[in-house]
Amino acid sequence: MPLSEHEQRLLDQIEQALYAEDPKWANTVRISDPRNHYKRRLVKASIGFVLGVVLLMVGVVAPIIPLGVGGFVVMLAACLWGLSSWKRMNGFGGEARPGAPGQPERRRAGRQSFMERMEERWRRRGDER
């Protein structure tokens, strides 16, 4: 539902007052997209993963076991951090959006258990005979 003219004027006045009071913060809030935040986290996680691989390789080549284990832990942490960022960036909030591309049709319609699907197939098979 669109705003009335009076409400629109009030909103414009509030926005102008905000810009006058703190223009830097207002500009940051206005143009920030949460997906950009998650993209930056994904890049940082990728860099962390590469750093973990380097630490792991150095630990293997120079027989320093704790360094290799530390590299593996860094890789694992970077993967988990990156995957959580990827999930939130694409689904934003972790919930699957209805009608999202790549989502199977049967998930959109409603979730059925494995046994319910098997029973439905059995009934269809019996009806075909």
Side-chain angles (χ1 to χ4, degrees):
M1 175 164 50
L3 298 174
S4 68
E5 289 181 31
H6 177 69
E7 291 171 333
Q8 188 63 43
R9 279 194 309 263
L10 286 174
L11 188 61
D12 290 337
Q13 288 174 356
I14 292 170
E15 186 177 357
Q16 289 171 359
L18 180 63
Y19 278 121
E21 186 177 317
D22 194 358
K24 184 179 177 184
W25 182 81
N27 192 29
T28 302
V29 170
R30 185 177 63 118
I31 57 176
S32 68
D33 183 14
R35 287 177 290 189
N36 289 338
H37 172 69
Y38 293 118
K39 286 179 186 176
R40 282 191 299 269
R41 283 180 60 177
L42 202 56
V43 168
K44 290 176 185 177
S46 300
I47 291 170
F49 182 80
V50 170
L51 180 67
V53 169
V54 168
L55 287 174
L56 179 66
M57 289 299 131
V58 169
V60 168
V61 170
I64 305 172
I65 303 293
L67 187 62
V69 171
F72 178 75
V73 169
V74 169
M75 283 173 43
L76 185 64
C79 276
L80 292 175
W81 193 39
L83 287 174
S84 71
S85 297
W86 177 266
K87 181 180 175 183
R88 289 187 177 183
M89 183 176 67
N90 288 332
F92 197 72
E95 297 106 23
R97 295 170 294 184
Q103 188 178 13
E105 279 297 323
R106 68 171 190 250
R107 290 254 171 131
R108 291 183 206 158
R111 295 189 125 191
Q112 290 183 336
S113 70
F114 174 74
M115 289 304 292
E116 289 172 345
R117 289 193 310 259
M118 294 306 288
E119 288 174 4
E120 181 65 30
R121 288 180 189 168
W122 183 260
R123 280 189 219 115
R124 274 189 267 145
R125 190 176 296 161
D127 291 342
E128 289 175 359
R129 291 183 188 169

Coordinates of all heavy atoms in Angstrom, one line a residue, residues 26-108:
A26 N 24.4 7.9 7.5 CA 23.2 7.8 6.7 C 23.5 7.2 5.3 O 22.8 6.4 4.8 CB 22.5 9.1 6.5
N27 N 24.6 7.6 4.7 CA 25.0 7.1 3.4 C 25.4 5.6 3.5 O 25.1 4.8 2.6 CB 26.2 7.9 2.9 CG 26.5 7.7 1.4 OD1 25.6 7.3 0.7 ND2 27.7 7.8 1.0
T28 N 26.1 5.3 4.6 CA 26.5 3.9 4.8 C 25.3 3.0 4.9 O 25.2 1.9 4.3 CB 27.3 3.7 6.0 OG1 28.5 4.6 5.9 CG2 27.8 2.3 6.2
V29 N 24.3 3.4 5.7 CA 23.1 2.6 5.8 C 22.2 2.5 4.6 O 21.7 1.5 4.2 CB 22.2 3.2 7.0 CG1 20.9 2.5 7.1 CG2 23.0 3.0 8.3
R30 N 22.2 3.6 3.8 CA 21.4 3.7 2.6 C 21.9 2.7 1.5 O 21.1 2.1 0.9 CB 21.3 5.1 2.1 CG 20.4 5.3 0.9 CD 20.4 6.7 0.5 NE 21.7 7.1 0.1 CZ 22.0 7.6 -1.1 NH1 21.1 7.7 -2.0 NH2 23.2 7.9 -1.4
I31 N 23.2 2.6 1.3 CA 23.7 1.9 0.2 C 24.2 0.5 0.6 O 24.6 -0.3 -0.3 CB 24.8 2.6 -0.5 CG1 25.9 2.9 0.4 CG2 24.3 3.8 -1.3 CD1 27.1 3.6 -0.3
S32 N 24.1 0.1 1.9 CA 24.7 -1.2 2.3 C 23.6 -2.3 2.0 O 22.5 -2.2 2.3 CB 25.1 -1.2 3.7 OG 23.9 -1.1 4.5
D33 N 24.1 -3.3 1.3 CA 23.3 -4.5 1.0 C 23.9 -5.6 1.8 O 25.1 -5.9 1.8 CB 23.4 -4.8 -0.5 CG 22.6 -6.0 -0.9 OD1 21.7 -6.4 -0.1 OD2 22.8 -6.4 -2.0
P34 N 23.1 -6.4 2.6 CA 23.7 -7.5 3.4 C 24.4 -8.5 2.6 O 25.4 -9.1 3.1 CB 22.4 -8.1 4.0 CG 21.4 -7.1 3.9 CD 21.7 -6.3 2.8
R35 N 24.1 -8.7 1.4 CA 24.8 -9.7 0.5 C 26.3 -9.2 0.3 O 27.2 -10.1 0.2 CB 24.1 -9.9 -0.8 CG 22.8 -10.7 -0.6 CD 22.1 -10.8 -1.9 NE 21.6 -9.5 -2.3 CZ 20.8 -9.2 -3.3 NH1 20.4 -10.2 -4.0 NH2 20.4 -8.0 -3.5
N36 N 26.5 -7.9 0.3 CA 27.9 -7.4 0.2 C 28.7 -7.9 1.4 O 29.9 -8.2 1.2 CB 28.0 -5.9 0.0 CG 27.4 -5.5 -1.4 OD1 27.4 -6.3 -2.3 ND2 27.0 -4.3 -1.5
H37 N 28.1 -7.8 2.5 CA 28.8 -8.2 3.8 C 29.2 -9.7 3.7 O 30.3 -10.1 4.0 CB 27.9 -8.0 5.0 CG 28.4 -8.5 6.2 ND1 29.5 -8.0 6.9 CD2 28.0 -9.6 7.0 CE1 29.7 -8.7 8.0 NE2 28.8 -9.7 8.1
Y38 N 28.3 -10.5 3.2 CA 28.6 -11.9 3.1 C 29.6 -12.2 2.0 O 30.4 -13.2 2.1 CB 27.3 -12.7 2.9 CG 26.4 -12.7 4.2 CD1 25.2 -12.1 4.1 CD2 26.9 -13.1 5.4 CE1 24.4 -12.1 5.3 CE2 26.1 -13.1 6.5 CZ 24.9 -12.5 6.5 OH 24.1 -12.5 7.6
K39 N 29.6 -11.4 0.9 CA 30.6 -11.6 -0.1 C 32.0 -11.3 0.4 O 32.9 -12.0 0.1 CB 30.3 -10.7 -1.3 CG 29.1 -11.2 -2.1 CD 28.9 -10.2 -3.3 CE 27.6 -10.6 -4.0 NZ 27.3 -9.6 -5.1
R40 N 32.1 -10.3 1.2 CA 33.4 -10.0 1.8 C 33.9 -11.1 2.8 O 35.0 -11.5 2.8 CB 33.3 -8.7 2.6 CG 33.4 -7.4 1.7 CD 33.6 -6.2 2.5 NE 32.5 -5.9 3.5 CZ 31.4 -5.2 3.2 NH1 31.3 -4.7 2.0 NH2 30.5 -5.0 4.1
R41 N 32.9 -11.6 3.5 CA 33.3 -12.8 4.4 C 33.7 -14.0 3.6 O 34.6 -14.7 4.0 CB 32.1 -13.1 5.3 CG 31.8 -12.2 6.4 CD 30.7 -12.6 7.3 NE 30.8 -13.9 7.9 CZ 29.9 -14.4 8.7 NH1 28.9 -13.7 9.0 NH2 30.1 -15.6 9.2
L42 N 33.1 -14.2 2.4 CA 33.4 -15.3 1.6 C 34.8 -15.2 1.0 O 35.6 -16.1 1.0 CB 32.4 -15.4 0.4 CG 32.3 -16.7 -0.3 CD1 31.9 -17.8 0.7 CD2 31.2 -16.6 -1.3
V43 N 35.2 -13.9 0.7 CA 36.6 -13.7 0.2 C 37.6 -13.9 1.3 O 38.6 -14.5 1.1 CB 36.7 -12.2 -0.4 CG1 38.1 -11.8 -0.6 CG2 35.8 -12.1 -1.7
K44 N 37.2 -13.4 2.5 CA 38.2 -13.6 3.6 C 38.3 -15.1 4.0 O 39.4 -15.6 4.3 CB 37.6 -12.9 4.8 CG 37.8 -11.4 4.7 CD 37.2 -10.7 5.9 CE 37.2 -9.2 5.7 NZ 36.5 -8.5 6.9
A45 N 37.2 -15.9 3.9 CA 37.3 -17.3 4.1 C 38.1 -18.0 3.1 O 38.9 -18.9 3.4 CB 35.9 -17.9 4.1
S46 N 38.0 -17.6 1.8 CA 38.9 -18.1 0.8 C 40.3 -17.9 1.0 O 41.2 -18.8 0.9 CB 38.5 -17.6 -0.6 OG 37.1 -17.8 -0.9
I47 N 40.6 -16.7 1.5 CA 42.0 -16.4 1.8 C 42.5 -17.2 3.0 O 43.6 -17.7 3.0 CB 42.2 -14.9 2.1 CG1 42.0 -14.1 0.8 CG2 43.6 -14.5 2.7 CD1 41.9 -12.6 1.0
G48 N 41.6 -17.4 4.0 CA 42.0 -18.2 5.1 C 42.2 -19.7 4.7 O 43.1 -20.3 5.2
F49 N 41.4 -20.2 3.8 CA 41.6 -21.5 3.3 C 42.9 -21.7 2.6 O 43.6 -22.7 2.9 CB 40.4 -21.9 2.3 CG 40.5 -23.3 1.8 CD1 40.1 -24.4 2.6 CD2 41.0 -23.6 0.6 CE1 40.1 -25.7 2.2 CE2 41.1 -24.9 0.1 CZ 40.7 -25.9 0.9
V50 N 43.3 -20.8 1.8 CA 44.6 -20.8 1.1 C 45.7 -20.8 2.1 O 46.7 -21.5 2.0 CB 44.7 -19.7 0.0 CG1 46.1 -19.6 -0.5 CG2 43.7 -19.9 -1.1
L51 N 45.6 -19.9 3.1 CA 46.6 -19.8 4.1 C 46.7 -21.1 4.9 O 47.8 -21.6 5.2 CB 46.2 -18.7 5.1 CG 47.2 -18.5 6.3 CD1 48.5 -18.0 5.8 CD2 46.6 -17.5 7.3
G52 N 45.6 -21.8 5.1 CA 45.6 -23.1 5.8 C 46.3 -24.2 5.0 O 47.0 -25.0 5.5
V53 N 46.0 -24.1 3.6 CA 46.7 -25.1 2.8 C 48.2 -24.9 2.8 O 49.0 -25.8 2.9 CB 46.2 -24.9 1.3 CG1 47.0 -25.7 0.3 CG2 44.7 -25.4 1.2
V54 N 48.6 -23.6 2.8 CA 50.1 -23.3 2.8 C 50.7 -23.8 4.1 O 51.7 -24.4 4.1 CB 50.3 -21.8 2.6 CG1 51.7 -21.4 3.0 CG2 50.0 -21.4 1.2
L55 N 50.0 -23.5 5.3 CA 50.5 -24.0 6.6 C 50.5 -25.5 6.6 O 51.5 -26.1 7.1 CB 49.6 -23.5 7.7 CG 49.7 -22.0 8.0 CD1 48.6 -21.6 9.1 CD2 51.1 -21.7 8.5
L56 N 49.5 -26.2 6.0 CA 49.5 -27.6 6.0 C 50.7 -28.2 5.2 O 51.4 -29.1 5.6 CB 48.2 -28.2 5.4 CG 48.0 -29.7 5.3 CD1 48.0 -30.3 6.7 CD2 46.8 -30.0 4.6
M57 N 50.9 -27.6 4.0 CA 52.0 -28.1 3.2 C 53.4 -27.8 3.8 O 54.3 -28.7 3.8 CB 52.0 -27.4 1.8 CG 50.8 -27.8 1.0 SD 51.0 -29.6 0.6 CE 49.4 -30.1 1.0
V58 N 53.5 -26.7 4.5 CA 54.8 -26.4 5.2 C 55.0 -27.4 6.3 O 56.1 -27.9 6.5 CB 54.8 -24.9 5.7 CG1 56.0 -24.7 6.6 CG2 54.9 -24.0 4.5
G59 N 53.9 -27.7 7.0 CA 54.0 -28.6 8.1 C 54.3 -30.0 7.6 O 55.0 -30.8 8.4
V60 N 53.9 -30.4 6.4 CA 54.2 -31.7 5.9 C 55.6 -31.8 5.4 O 56.4 -32.7 5.6 CB 53.2 -32.1 4.8 CG1 53.6 -33.3 4.0 CG2 51.8 -32.3 5.4
V61 N 56.0 -30.7 4.6 CA 57.4 -30.7 4.0 C 58.5 -30.7 5.1 O 59.4 -31.4 5.1 CB 57.5 -29.6 3.0 CG1 58.9 -29.4 2.5 CG2 56.6 -29.8 1.8
A62 N 58.4 -29.7 6.0 CA 59.3 -29.6 7.1 C 58.5 -30.4 8.2 O 57.5 -29.9 8.7 CB 59.5 -28.2 7.5
P63 N 59.0 -31.5 8.7 CA 58.2 -32.3 9.6 C 57.9 -31.6 10.9 O 58.5 -31.9 12.0 CB 59.1 -33.5 9.8 CG 60.5 -33.1 9.4 CD 60.4 -32.0 8.5
I64 N 57.0 -30.7 10.8 CA 56.5 -30.0 12.0 C 55.0 -30.3 12.1 O 54.2 -29.7 11.5 CB 56.7 -28.4 11.9 CG1 58.2 -28.1 11.6 CG2 56.2 -27.7 13.2 CD1 58.4 -26.7 11.3
I65 N 54.7 -31.3 12.9 CA 53.4 -31.9 13.0 C 52.4 -30.8 13.5 O 51.3 -30.6 12.9 CB 53.3 -33.1 13.9 CG1 54.3 -34.2 13.4 CG2 51.9 -33.6 14.1 CD1 53.9 -34.8 12.1
P66 N 52.7 -30.0 14.6 CA 51.7 -29.0 15.1 C 51.4 -28.0 14.0 O 50.2 -27.5 13.9 CB 52.4 -28.4 16.3 CG 53.4 -29.4 16.7 CD 53.8 -30.1 15.5
L67 N 52.3 -27.6 13.2 CA 52.1 -26.7 12.1 C 51.1 -27.3 11.1 O 50.2 -26.6 10.6 CB 53.4 -26.2 11.4 CG 53.3 -25.1 10.4 CD1 52.7 -23.8 11.1 CD2 54.6 -24.8 9.8
G68 N 51.3 -28.5 10.7 CA 50.4 -29.2 9.8 C 49.0 -29.3 10.3 O 48.0 -29.1 9.6
V69 N 48.9 -29.7 11.6 CA 47.6 -29.8 12.2 C 46.9 -28.4 12.3 O 45.7 -28.3 12.0 CB 47.7 -30.4 13.6 CG1 46.4 -30.4 14.4 CG2 48.2 -31.9 13.5
G70 N 47.7 -27.4 12.6 CA 47.2 -26.0 12.7 C 46.7 -25.6 11.3 O 45.6 -24.9 11.2
G71 N 47.4 -25.9 10.3 CA 47.0 -25.6 8.9 C 45.7 -26.2 8.6 O 44.8 -25.6 8.0
F72 N 45.5 -27.5 9.0 CA 44.3 -28.2 8.7 C 43.1 -27.6 9.5 O 42.0 -27.4 8.9 CB 44.4 -29.7 9.1 CG 43.1 -30.5 8.9 CD1 42.8 -30.8 7.6 CD2 42.3 -30.8 10.0 CE1 41.6 -31.6 7.4 CE2 41.2 -31.5 9.8 CZ 40.8 -31.9 8.5
V73 N 43.3 -27.2 10.7 CA 42.3 -26.6 11.5 C 41.9 -25.2 10.9 O 40.7 -24.9 10.8 CB 42.8 -26.4 13.0 CG1 41.8 -25.5 13.8 CG2 42.9 -27.8 13.6
V74 N 42.9 -24.5 10.4 CA 42.6 -23.2 9.7 C 41.8 -23.4 8.5 O 40.8 -22.7 8.2 CB 43.9 -22.4 9.4 CG1 43.6 -21.2 8.5 CG2 44.6 -21.9 10.7
M75 N 42.1 -24.5 7.7 CA 41.4 -24.8 6.5 C 39.9 -25.2 6.9 O 39.0 -24.7 6.2 CB 42.0 -26.0 5.8 CG 43.2 -25.7 5.0 SD 44.0 -27.2 4.3 CE 42.7 -28.1 3.7
L76 N 39.8 -26.0 7.9 CA 38.4 -26.4 8.3 C 37.6 -25.2 8.7 O 36.4 -25.1 8.4 CB 38.5 -27.5 9.4 CG 37.2 -28.1 9.8 CD1 36.6 -28.9 8.7 CD2 37.5 -29.0 11.0
A77 N 38.2 -24.4 9.6 CA 37.4 -23.2 10.1 C 37.1 -22.3 8.9 O 35.9 -21.7 8.9 CB 38.3 -22.5 11.1
A78 N 38.0 -22.1 8.0 CA 37.7 -21.2 6.9 C 36.6 -21.8 6.0 O 35.7 -21.0 5.5 CB 38.9 -21.0 6.0
C79 N 36.6 -23.1 5.8 CA 35.5 -23.7 5.0 C 34.2 -23.5 5.7 O 33.2 -23.2 5.0 CB 35.8 -25.2 4.9 SG 36.9 -25.6 3.5
L80 N 34.1 -23.8 7.0 CA 32.8 -23.6 7.7 C 32.3 -22.2 7.7 O 31.1 -21.9 7.5 CB 33.0 -24.1 9.1 CG 33.2 -25.6 9.3 CD1 33.5 -26.0 10.8 CD2 32.0 -26.4 8.8
W81 N 33.2 -21.3 7.9 CA 32.9 -19.8 7.8 C 32.4 -19.4 6.4 O 31.4 -18.8 6.3 CB 34.1 -19.0 8.3 CG 33.8 -17.6 8.6 CD1 32.7 -17.1 9.2 CD2 34.5 -16.5 8.3 NE1 32.7 -15.8 9.4 CE2 33.9 -15.3 8.8 CE3 35.8 -16.3 7.6 CZ2 34.4 -14.1 8.6 CZ3 36.3 -15.0 7.5 CH2 35.6 -13.9 8.0
G82 N 33.1 -19.9 5.4 CA 32.7 -19.6 4.0 C 31.4 -20.2 3.7 O 30.6 -19.6 3.0
L83 N 31.2 -21.5 4.1 CA 29.9 -22.1 3.7 C 28.7 -21.5 4.4 O 27.6 -21.3 3.8 CB 30.0 -23.6 4.1 CG 30.8 -24.5 3.2 CD1 30.9 -25.9 3.7 CD2 30.3 -24.4 1.7
S84 N 28.9 -21.0 5.7 CA 27.8 -20.3 6.4 C 27.5 -19.0 5.7 O 26.4 -18.6 5.5 CB 28.1 -20.2 7.8 OG 29.1 -19.2 8.0
S85 N 28.6 -18.3 5.2 CA 28.4 -17.1 4.5 C 27.7 -17.3 3.2 O 26.8 -16.5 2.8 CB 29.7 -16.3 4.3 OG 30.3 -16.0 5.5
W86 N 28.1 -18.4 2.5 CA 27.5 -18.7 1.2 C 26.0 -19.0 1.4 O 25.2 -18.5 0.6 CB 28.2 -19.9 0.6 CG 27.6 -20.4 -0.7 CD1 26.7 -21.3 -0.9 CD2 27.9 -19.9 -2.0 NE1 26.4 -21.5 -2.2 CE2 27.2 -20.6 -2.9 CE3 28.8 -18.9 -2.4 CZ2 27.2 -20.4 -4.2 CZ3 28.8 -18.7 -3.8 CH2 28.1 -19.4 -4.7
K87 N 25.7 -19.7 2.4 CA 24.3 -20.1 2.7 C 23.4 -18.9 3.0 O 22.4 -18.7 2.4 CB 24.2 -21.1 3.8 CG 22.9 -21.5 4.2 CD 22.9 -22.5 5.4 CE 21.6 -22.9 5.9 NZ 21.6 -23.7 7.0
R88 N 24.0 -18.0 3.8 CA 23.2 -16.8 4.1 C 23.2 -15.8 3.0 O 22.2 -15.1 2.8 CB 23.9 -16.1 5.3 CG 23.6 -16.9 6.6 CD 24.1 -16.1 7.8 NE 23.8 -16.9 9.0 CZ 24.0 -16.4 10.2 NH1 24.6 -15.3 10.3 NH2 23.7 -17.2 11.2
M89 N 24.2 -15.8 2.1 CA 24.2 -14.9 1.0 C 23.1 -15.3 0.0 O 22.4 -14.5 -0.6 CB 25.6 -14.8 0.3 CG 25.7 -13.8 -0.8 SD 27.3 -13.7 -1.5 CE 27.5 -15.4 -2.2
N90 N 23.0 -16.6 -0.3 CA 22.1 -17.1 -1.3 C 20.7 -17.2 -0.8 O 19.7 -17.1 -1.5 CB 22.6 -18.4 -1.8 CG 23.8 -18.2 -2.7 OD1 24.0 -17.1 -3.3 ND2 24.7 -19.2 -2.8
G91 N 20.5 -17.6 0.5 CA 19.2 -17.8 1.0 C 18.8 -16.7 2.0 O 17.7 -16.6 2.4
F92 N 19.7 -15.9 2.3 CA 19.7 -14.8 3.3 C 18.8 -15.2 4.5 O 17.6 -15.0 4.5 CB 19.2 -13.5 2.7 CG 19.5 -12.4 3.6 CD1 20.8 -12.0 3.8 CD2 18.6 -11.8 4.4 CE1 21.2 -11.0 4.6 CE2 18.9 -10.8 5.3 CZ 20.2 -10.4 5.4
G93 N 19.5 -15.7 5.5 CA 18.8 -16.1 6.8 C 18.8 -17.6 6.9 O 18.4 -18.1 8.0
G94 N 19.2 -18.3 5.9 CA 19.3 -19.7 6.0 C 18.0 -20.4 5.6 O 18.0 -21.6 5.4
E95 N 16.9 -19.7 5.5 CA 15.7 -20.3 5.1 C 15.6 -20.3 3.5 O 16.0 -19.4 2.9 CB 14.4 -19.5 5.5 CG 14.3 -19.5 7.0 CD 14.7 -18.1 7.6 OE1 14.6 -17.2 6.9 OE2 15.1 -18.1 8.8
A96 N 15.1 -21.4 3.0 CA 14.9 -21.5 1.6 C 13.7 -20.7 1.1 O 12.7 -20.7 1.8 CB 14.7 -23.0 1.2
R97 N 13.9 -19.9 0.1 CA 12.8 -19.1 -0.4 C 12.0 -19.9 -1.3 O 12.5 -20.6 -2.2 CB 13.4 -17.9 -1.1 CG 14.2 -16.9 -0.2 CD 14.8 -15.9 -1.1 NE 15.8 -16.6 -1.9 CZ 16.7 -16.1 -2.7 NH1 16.7 -14.8 -2.8 NH2 17.6 -16.8 -3.3
P98 N 10.7 -19.8 -1.2 CA 9.8 -20.6 -2.2 C 10.1 -20.0 -3.6 O 10.1 -18.8 -3.8 CB 8.4 -20.3 -1.7 CG 8.5 -19.3 -0.6 CD 9.9 -19.1 -0.3
G99 N 10.2 -20.9 -4.5 CA 10.4 -20.5 -5.9 C 11.8 -20.2 -6.2 O 12.1 -19.6 -7.3
A100 N 12.8 -20.5 -5.3 CA 14.2 -20.1 -5.6 C 14.7 -21.1 -6.7 O 14.3 -22.2 -6.8 CB 15.0 -20.3 -4.3
P101 N 15.5 -20.5 -7.6 CA 16.1 -21.4 -8.6 C 16.9 -22.5 -8.1 O 17.6 -22.3 -7.1 CB 16.9 -20.4 -9.5 CG 17.0 -19.1 -8.7 CD 16.0 -19.2 -7.6
G102 N 16.9 -23.6 -8.7 CA 17.7 -24.7 -8.2 C 17.0 -25.6 -7.1 O 17.6 -26.5 -6.7
Q103 N 15.9 -25.1 -6.7 CA 15.2 -25.9 -5.6 C 14.2 -26.8 -6.3 O 13.4 -26.4 -7.1 CB 14.4 -24.9 -4.7 CG 13.9 -25.5 -3.5 CD 13.2 -24.5 -2.6 OE1 13.0 -23.4 -3.1 NE2 12.9 -24.8 -1.4
P104 N 14.2 -28.1 -5.9 CA 13.4 -29.1 -6.6 C 11.9 -28.8 -6.3 O 11.5 -28.2 -5.3 CB 13.7 -30.4 -5.9 CG 15.0 -30.2 -5.2 CD 15.2 -28.7 -5.0
E105 N 11.1 -29.1 -7.3 CA 9.6 -28.8 -7.2 C 9.0 -29.5 -6.0 O 8.1 -29.0 -5.4 CB 8.9 -29.2 -8.5 CG 9.0 -28.2 -9.6 CD 8.4 -26.9 -9.3 OE1 7.3 -26.9 -8.6 OE2 8.9 -25.9 -9.6
R106 N 9.4 -30.8 -5.7 CA 8.7 -31.5 -4.7 C 8.9 -30.9 -3.3 O 8.1 -31.0 -2.4 CB 9.2 -33.0 -4.7 CG 10.6 -33.2 -4.2 CD 10.9 -34.6 -4.1 NE 12.2 -34.8 -3.4 CZ 13.2 -35.3 -4.1 NH1 13.1 -35.6 -5.3 NH2 14.4 -35.4 -3.4
R107 N 10.0 -30.1 -3.1 CA 10.3 -29.5 -1.8 C 9.3 -28.3 -1.7 O 9.0 -27.9 -0.6 CB 11.7 -29.0 -1.8 CG 12.7 -30.1 -1.6 CD 13.2 -30.2 -0.2 NE 14.0 -31.4 0.0 CZ 15.1 -31.4 0.6 NH1 15.7 -30.2 0.9 NH2 15.8 -32.5 0.8
R108 N 9.0 -27.6 -2.8 CA 8.2 -26.5 -2.7 C 6.7 -26.8 -2.4 O 6.1 -26.2 -1.6 CB 8.2 -25.7 -4.1 CG 9.5 -25.1 -4.4 CD 9.3 -24.3 -5.7 NE 10.6 -24.2 -6.3 CZ 10.8 -24.0 -7.5 NH1 9.8 -23.9 -8.4 NH2 12.0 -23.9 -8.0

